């Protein structure tokens, strides 16, 4: 077999379909978020406005977060020194887990290397070790949840997206005494819709099933203390496993689960993704703790965040740009074609110095390709207006229409 030819053909297939991914070479500028420098292939450097960062609250550059990281580097050095079991449990990790448990009002929390790893480890451990477990998974769950369920080798049943009646029907096919877990997200990151958490918990409890919620795109941004949509909706105490990240609203990197002492200790003791992974640098843990502590006390940032999303939607509607209505902070703009979606992204960057990445298959279904905007509390009215004018120019230049699916 010609291996190099196989690799090259695989890449060419992606390019032909219009979904080959090209990374924008960006350099964030501390203290100037959402501005960044864009290094281009022609050797030029341009200042651009970032419109698709998952640093949703701009905390990755907050002075308190940076100060905490500097202090921990000076005290502990760069790395953690090993896995948590082999000299890698730093006091900053312990303090962060306490902060996370307090955030979610749970008995315990367990820190992992990323949100992806937290999902993979929790699902693969719980699904494999709960006897004869069945996992009921929302059909739009994130890749990390899908992979964790797959690796658990547990029986899996898909329920239609946020369809509580369908979930109820599926659960009713199994006896109450059989181990069951309902897996769903609070905010779905590509469409920006929000799960009916109370109704899902009602059905899960009716059938004696565990609940597992992914709050990755909600922690820091929803609820009076930033614990997520489950906190906002008064349902946090009903969730068996809360999973989230430190890499989005909290502005650093890492993932975690929160729940009872027994559940967290079980994953800690049996989860290979935790046992065999080097722990996060102490400086990262310190920065994350500072970010969580700050956001707990500053609900005005969450209010400003929602205002920015609402303002962008209002301006897009007035301009006739086909955004996809959603109740969250995520503002998707529908294109519906992978090649045009990539071209729209390129034109925004090269002609208008605004960066938003194209979202194509397999992240979203074919025919629903989109630009995904994530306005932050730090985006100004002027920047929103500049973006909308740029979008109007790109839409006219590419002769993009207004798909019926995007109309309200």
């Amino acid at each position: 077999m010609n291996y190099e030819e196989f690799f090259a053909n695989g890449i060419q297939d992606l390019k032909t379909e219009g979904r080959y991914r090209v990374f924008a070479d960006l350099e964030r500028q501390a203290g100037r978020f959402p501005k960044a420098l864009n290094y281009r292939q022609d050797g030029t450097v341009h200042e651009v406005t970032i419109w698709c960062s998952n640093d949703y609250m701009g905390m990755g550059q907050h002075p308190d977060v940076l100060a905490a990281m500097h202090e921990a580097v000076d005290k502990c050095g760069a790395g953690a020194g090993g896995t948590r079991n082999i000299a890698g449990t730093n006091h900053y990790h312990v303090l962060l887990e306490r902060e996370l448990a307090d955030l979610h009002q749970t008995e315990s929390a367990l820190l992992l290397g990323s949100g992806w790893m937290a999902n993979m480890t929790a699902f693969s451990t719980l699904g494999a070790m709960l006897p004869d477990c069945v996992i009921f998974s929302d059909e739009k769950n994130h890749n990390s949840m899908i992979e964790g369920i797959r690796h658990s080798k547990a029986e899996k049943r898909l329920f239609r997206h946020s369809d509580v009646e369908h979930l109820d029907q599926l659960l009713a096919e199994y006896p109450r005494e059989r181990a069951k877990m309902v897996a769903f997200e609070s905010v779905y990151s590509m469409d920006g819709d929000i799960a009916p958490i109370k109704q899902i918990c009602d059905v899960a409890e009716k059938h004696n099933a565990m609940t597992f919620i992914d709050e990755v795109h909600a922690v820091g941004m929803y609820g009076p203390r930033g614990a997520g949509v489950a906190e906002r909706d008064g349902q946090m105490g009903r969730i068996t496993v809360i999973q989230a990240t430190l890499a989005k609203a909290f502005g650093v990197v890492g993932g975690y689960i929160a729940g009872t002492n027994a559940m967290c200790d079980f994953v800690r003791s049996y989860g290979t993704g935790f046992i065999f992974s080097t722990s996060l640098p102490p400086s990262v843990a310190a920065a994350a703790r500072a970010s969580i502590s700050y956001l707990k006390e500053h609900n005005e940032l969450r209010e400003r965040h929602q205002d920015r999303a609402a303002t962008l939607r209002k301006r897009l509607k007035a301009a006739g740009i086909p955004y996809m209505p959603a109740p969250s902070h995520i503002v998707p703009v529908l294109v519906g074609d992978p090649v045009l979606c990539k071209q729209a992204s390129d034109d925004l960057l090269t002609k208008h110095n605004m960066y938003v990445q194209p979202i194509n298959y397999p992240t979203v279904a074919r025919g629903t390709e989109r630009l995904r905007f994530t306005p932050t509390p730090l985006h100004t009215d002027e920047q929103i207006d500049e973006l909308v004018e740029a979008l109007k120019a790109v839409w006219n230049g590419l002769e993009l229409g207004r798909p019926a699916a995007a109309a309200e």
Side-chain angles (χ1 to χ4, degrees):
M1 180 177 185
N2 187 326
Y3 300 109
E4 288 301 308
E5 182 180 3
F6 174 80
F7 300 146
N9 288 340
I11 294 301
Q12 186 56 50
D13 288 344
L14 293 176
K15 291 180 177 179
T16 301
E17 291 182 47
R19 58 188 185 94
Y20 177 72
R21 302 183 184 210
V22 178
F23 296 151
D25 186 348
L26 301 170
E27 181 180 292
R28 283 159 62 93
Q29 297 178 280
R32 301 202 64 230
F33 184 82
K35 295 293 185 179
L37 298 180
N38 173 217
Y39 292 80
R40 300 184 182 170
Q41 291 184 348
D42 62 3
T44 61
V45 182
H46 299 259
E47 184 176 76
V48 300
T49 304
I50 304 296
W51 278 102
C52 55
S53 175
N54 282 343
D55 187 359
Y56 290 132
M57 308 295 276
M59 293 301 292
Q61 300 185 22
H62 192 279
D64 288 6
V65 176
L66 300 184
M69 179 171 275
H70 281 296
E71 178 185 346
V73 166
D74 291 340
K75 290 178 66 174
C76 302
T83 66
R84 291 287 294 275
N85 192 48
I86 305 176
T89 296
N90 189 281
H91 188 53
Y92 283 111
H93 297 129
V94 176
L95 294 175
L96 174 55
E97 287 174 338
R98 291 175 185 169
E99 190 78 45
L100 289 165
D102 177 78
L103 174 67
H104 292 289
Q105 296 295 284
T106 56
E107 292 179 348
S108 190
L110 184 67
L111 181 64
L112 292 102
S114 68
W116 196 96
M117 184 58 71
N119 268 335
M120 167 66 83
T121 302
F123 277 112
S124 62
T125 304
L126 296 172
M129 300 196 70
L130 283 166
D132 203 21
C133 182
V134 188
I135 301 178
F136 299 81
S137 179
D138 188 290
E139 66 181 357
K140 288 194 175 182
N141 277 344
H142 188 262
N143 167 267
S144 57
M145 305 174 80
I146 295 168
E147 290 296 328
I149 295 167
R150 180 179 297 147
H151 278 75
S152 77
K153 295 185 169 58
E155 181 181 350
K156 180 181 73 171
R157 301 293 303 273
L158 290 179
F159 63 93
R160 291 187 292 270
H161 179 52
S162 291
D163 189 331
V164 179
E165 290 185 2
H166 188 220
L167 173 62
D168 190 20
Q169 293 168 7
L170 294 179
L171 282 163
E173 297 177 13
Y174 297 83
R176 282 184 58 81
E177 60 271 15
R178 185 166 176 183
K180 298 177 289 293
M181 182 191 303
V182 178
F184 62 103
E185 300 180 42
S186 58
V187 176
Y188 287 85
S189 63
M190 290 300 115
D191 293 342
D193 59 314
I194 295 177
I197 298 175
K198 179 184 183 301
Q199 291 84 351
I200 290 175
C201 288
D202 289 343
V203 170
E205 290 171 2
K206 172 183 173 183
H207 296 281
N208 193 33
M210 295 172 57
T211 47
F212 188 118
I213 190 171
D214 179 316
E215 290 260 34
V216 159
H217 293 274
V219 288
M221 296 169 280
Y222 296 87
R225 299 169 75 238
V229 179
E231 181 195 32
R232 185 199 71 177
D233 293 354
Q235 304 300 309
M236 196 162 58
R238 303 177 72 188
I239 307 294
T240 313
V241 185
I242 298 171
Q243 180 273 343
T245 186
L246 305 170
K248 294 184 169 57
F250 297 132
V252 247
V253 70
Y256 64 91
I257 59 172
T260 65
N261 286 328
M263 186 278 294
C264 289
D265 200 18
F266 186 89
V267 175
R268 181 190 73 87
S269 300
Y270 288 99
T272 55
F274 175 84
I275 294 170
F276 295 103
S277 290
T278 296
S279 54
L280 289 171
S283 58
V284 170
R289 180 179 175 230
S291 181
I292 295 164
S293 177
Y294 185 89
L295 285 176
K296 281 180 182 177
E297 304 299 326
H298 289 273
N299 194 52
E300 74 278 2
L301 280 179
R302 284 180 279 281
E303 294 173 351
R304 168 77 173 172
H305 191 213
Q306 292 296 316
D307 170 77
R308 298 292 79 196
T311 298
L312 177 57
R313 288 190 184 95
K314 181 179 178 181
R315 306 283 171 84
L316 291 174
K317 183 177 182 179
I321 302 296
Y323 73 93
M324 302 166 67
S328 72
H329 59 283
I330 295 166
V331 185
V333 170
L334 188 62
V335 178
D337 178 274
V339 175
L340 290 174
C341 193
K342 176 67 166 59
Q343 189 61 55
S345 172
D346 289 347
D347 287 353
L348 283 169
L349 182 62
T350 59
K351 297 179 180 179
H352 302 279
N353 291 323
M354 297 182 187
Y355 177 62
V356 58
Q357 85 278 29
I359 305 294
N360 293 330
Y361 177 85
T363 307
V364 296
R366 298 181 192 275
T368 68
E369 292 83 3
R370 68 200 63 177
L371 303 175
R372 174 182 174 273
F373 294 91
T374 55
T376 74
L378 301 181
H379 282 92
T380 66
D381 283 344
E382 180 183 10
Q383 288 169 341
I384 291 175
D385 289 340
E386 290 171 350
L387 170 66
V388 172
E389 288 303 311
L391 280 168
K392 287 164 63 177
V394 169
W395 240 248
N396 292 333
L398 296 178
E399 298 182 345
L400 296 173
R402 180 178 172 84
E408 291 185 90

